[in-house]
Amino acid sequence: MKSVNKSKLIKFLVILAAIFLLIFFNFRGWLSFPKNLTYWVSYPFLKLFQTVDNKIASTWHFWVTLKDLNKENAELKSANQLMWQQNAQLKEMARENEALRQQLGLGQLTKQRLIMANVVGYSPSLGQYFLVDKGSNEGVVLDSAVVAANNFLVGRVVEVNKNYSKVLLLSDSNSLVNVVAQDSRVSGLVRGSHGLVLNLEMVPIDAALKSGETVLTSGLNDEIPKGLIVGQVAEVVKKENEIWQQVTIQPAVDFKKIEQVFILLR
Amino acid sequence: MRNILIFLAVLLAAVLQASVMPQLALANVTPSLVLAGVLAWAIWPQEQKPIWIFLVPALLLDLVVGRPFGLLTLNLMLVFFGVDWLASSFFKQSNWPAIFSLTLIGVLFFELGNWLLSWIFAALGLAASLKFSAFYFYATWPTSLILNGFLCLVVWWLFNQIRFIKSNGPITKFK
C-alpha cells in the first residue's frame, strides 16, 4: 500500500474547504448572483434539451400507443358523454350556488391569480424537484402551490430565485399535504414515497375509504388552497392490530410528463 | 485546447443530467452522467488528474438544480478522492476485476454519501430531514449500482478509446 500522496491530500483539503465555504455562502444567501448567472447561461441549453426530449418522448409515446388508439378512442368518447352530462348538472348547481350566495350576502368567490411556468430542469440528487422558469421577478413566493392543468396539484415552491424557482413534487418523501377524500370526507396526510407512489397517512382503521375515490387538498396547509385534486385512492389495506390504514394514492398527474405548470400567486 | 474540449463535454453532461437524464430513470433512480464521469476519472490509471474538469460542472449543476446546495459536489469530490486513493493504493487499475470492483465501491460510496450527508445537512439545518424507508436500501441502491455502474464502465471504455486513438494503442492491457 502506497502512502497518501501529499499533494493529493493538500488538493483534497483545499477543495473540501472551498466547498464548505460555498455552502456557508449559500446559507447566508450570498450566492444568489452566481446562481442567477449560471441559470441565465444554462437556460437556453436546458430549454433546448427539454424541448428535444419532449418531442422525442411524445413521438415515441404516439407510436407505442398507436395499436390501442381505437380502444382508447371508444373509452374517451364514453367518458366524454358522461362528463358532458355532469358538466351540465354542475353548471346548473354553480348558477344556483351563485344566486344563493347573493341572497345570503356572502359575496363572490375570489379568483386565484396564477402564472404559467415551463419545466426546464430536474434535481440531480436526492429528492423530487424540478426547476421552473419563473421566479421572484414574476411574483413567485416561497411555498406557493404549483398545479398542472385542471387544478391537479403538482407540489409547492421551496426555493425562489430572481428568474427561476425550485418546486418540490408531491411524490417527494418530504412533501406533506393535508387532504380530504371527496365522498367519504375522510381526512389524512399525503406523503410521497421515493417518487414512486403517494401514501395517505393518518387514516384511522375504521374510516370507510373507498377505492377510486378522488382525493382533494383540504386547505389546512396555509400555502395550499382547498379543493385542488391530488389523485385517486388506488389501494386500501387494513391490517389487524394496527390503528392506521395503509392507503395508496394514484397521483392525478404523471410528474415525469409535465412540461408546463401554473404557480398560484398570493 | 484538449482540456477546454473535455471541460465542454463535461459541461454538456451536466446540462443533459439536469434535463434529459431524469426521463431515463428506472425505479426512480436517475442514471448520473456526472457521477459516471467522476468515477471513471478516479479509476483511470494516471498519477496526476486535474479534478477541476469535474469540479466546476458539478458545482454549476449544484448551483442551478442542486438541493440542498453543496451536497452533490461534496459527495462527488469525496467519491473521487476516495476511489482515487483506493485505486492507487490497493488495486491494479489495468484489469477488469479491479475496474468492476472500484466501480461498485464508487457507486456504493456515492449512495452511502448521499444518505449520510443528507442527515448531516439536516442536522445542521441546511436542509429538511429526508425520510428514508427500507425501499431506499433494498431497491434504490441495487438499481443505482446497476445503472450508474454500467454508465461508469461505458465512460471508462470511452476514455480508453480516446486514449487508443491518440496513442495508436490502448494504455491498458486487460488480463
Side-chain angles (χ1 to χ4, degrees), chain A residues 182-213:
Chain A
Q182 195 171 30
D183 302 328
S184 60
R185 307 313 289 174
V186 172
S187 56
L189 276 168
V190 161
R191 187 198 285 274
S193 177
H194 300 287
L196 295 170
V197 288
L198 303 178
N199 293 325
L200 182 56
E201 297 179 352
M202 314 286 277
V203 178
I205 198 81
D206 56 345
L209 203 62
K210 285 176 286 175
S211 192
E213 220 177 315

Side-chain angles (χ1 to χ4, degrees), chain A residues 27-116:
Chain A
F27 179 67
R28 297 299 301 260
W30 297 340
L31 285 186
S32 55
F33 176 71
K35 273 185 178 181
N36 286 315
L37 183 72
T38 315
Y39 172 75
W40 181 75
V41 173
S42 54
Y43 177 72
F45 303 103
L46 285 171
K47 185 88 186 113
L48 175 76
F49 284 121
Q50 204 67 48
T51 311
V52 172
D53 182 47
N54 289 336
K55 287 262 186 287
I56 294 170
S58 58
T59 313
W60 172 253
H61 185 250
F62 172 76
W63 286 109
V64 165
T65 54
L66 200 58
K67 61 179 170 56
D68 298 324
L69 274 185
N70 268 340
K71 193 183 162 202
E72 199 179 327
N73 194 27
E75 282 172 4
L76 286 173
K77 270 185 181 165
S78 135
N80 193 28
Q81 296 276 327
L82 188 70
M83 281 182 186
W84 193 7
Q85 178 210 340
Q86 284 178 346
N87 194 26
Q89 279 176 348
L90 287 172
K91 269 185 182 166
E92 283 307 306
M93 283 164 80
R95 201 165 292 148
E96 201 177 291
N97 184 282
E98 205 177 313
L100 286 169
R101 287 186 79 89
Q102 273 175 3
Q103 280 177 19
L104 292 168
L106 293 174
Q108 295 296 309
L109 284 170
T110 50
K111 281 199 172 168
Q112 189 74 51
R113 282 194 313 130
L114 40 88
I115 49 164
M116 199 183 88

Side-chain angles (χ1 to χ4, degrees), chain A residues 1-5 7-9 11-13 15-16 18-20 22-24 26-27 31 34-35 38-39 42 45-47 49-50 53-54 57 120-131 158-159 161 164 166 168 171-174 191-196 199 201 256-258, chain B residues 12 14-20 22-28 30 32 46-52 55 59-74 77-78 81 84-85 88-90 110-111 114-115 118 121 124-126 128-136 140:
Chain A
M1 181 187 142
K2 289 180 200 169
S3 62
V4 179
N5 187 320
S7 74
K8 271 186 189 173
L9 188 68
K11 208 190 281 180
F12 172 66
L13 292 174
I15 288 175
L16 217 59
I19 296 171
F20 283 130
L22 284 170
I23 291 170
F24 173 71
N26 182 62
F27 179 67
L31 285 186
K35 273 185 178 181
T38 315
Y39 172 75
S42 54
F45 303 103
L46 285 171
K47 185 88 186 113
F49 284 121
Q50 204 67 48
D53 182 47
N54 289 336
V120 288
Y122 302 90
S123 167
S125 53
L126 287 169
Q128 302 284 306
Y129 300 94
F130 61 51
L131 207 67
V158 286
E159 190 180 320
N161 291 285
Y164 70 98
K166 282 175 196 167
L168 176 73
S171 53
D172 187 274
S173 310
N174 265 346
R191 187 198 285 274
S193 177
H194 300 287
L196 295 170
N199 293 325
E201 297 179 352
K256 275 189 187 171
K257 288 182 181 161
I258 298 174
Chain B
L12 180 74
V15 175
L16 280 172
Q17 187 63 50
S19 54
V20 180
Q23 302 290 342
L24 306 175
L26 188 72
N28 213 40
T30 305
S32 174
Q46 186 178 311
E47 193 50 40
Q48 289 301 323
K49 296 175 234 183
I51 183 60
W52 62 267
L55 176 67
L59 211 53
L60 294 184
L61 196 63
D62 228 350
L63 271 175
V64 183
V65 282
R67 190 174 163 81
F69 170 79
L71 191 143
L72 177 76
T73 315
L74 187 61
M77 288 308 111
L78 290 173
F81 284 105
D84 182 49
W85 175 73
S88 57
S89 305
F90 299 103
F110 178 76
E111 290 300 339
N114 256 344
W115 182 62
S118 65
F121 271 62
L124 293 172
L126 297 168
S129 60
L130 280 176
K131 192 188 171 200
F132 290 96
S133 63
F135 176 86
Y136 181 72
T140 305

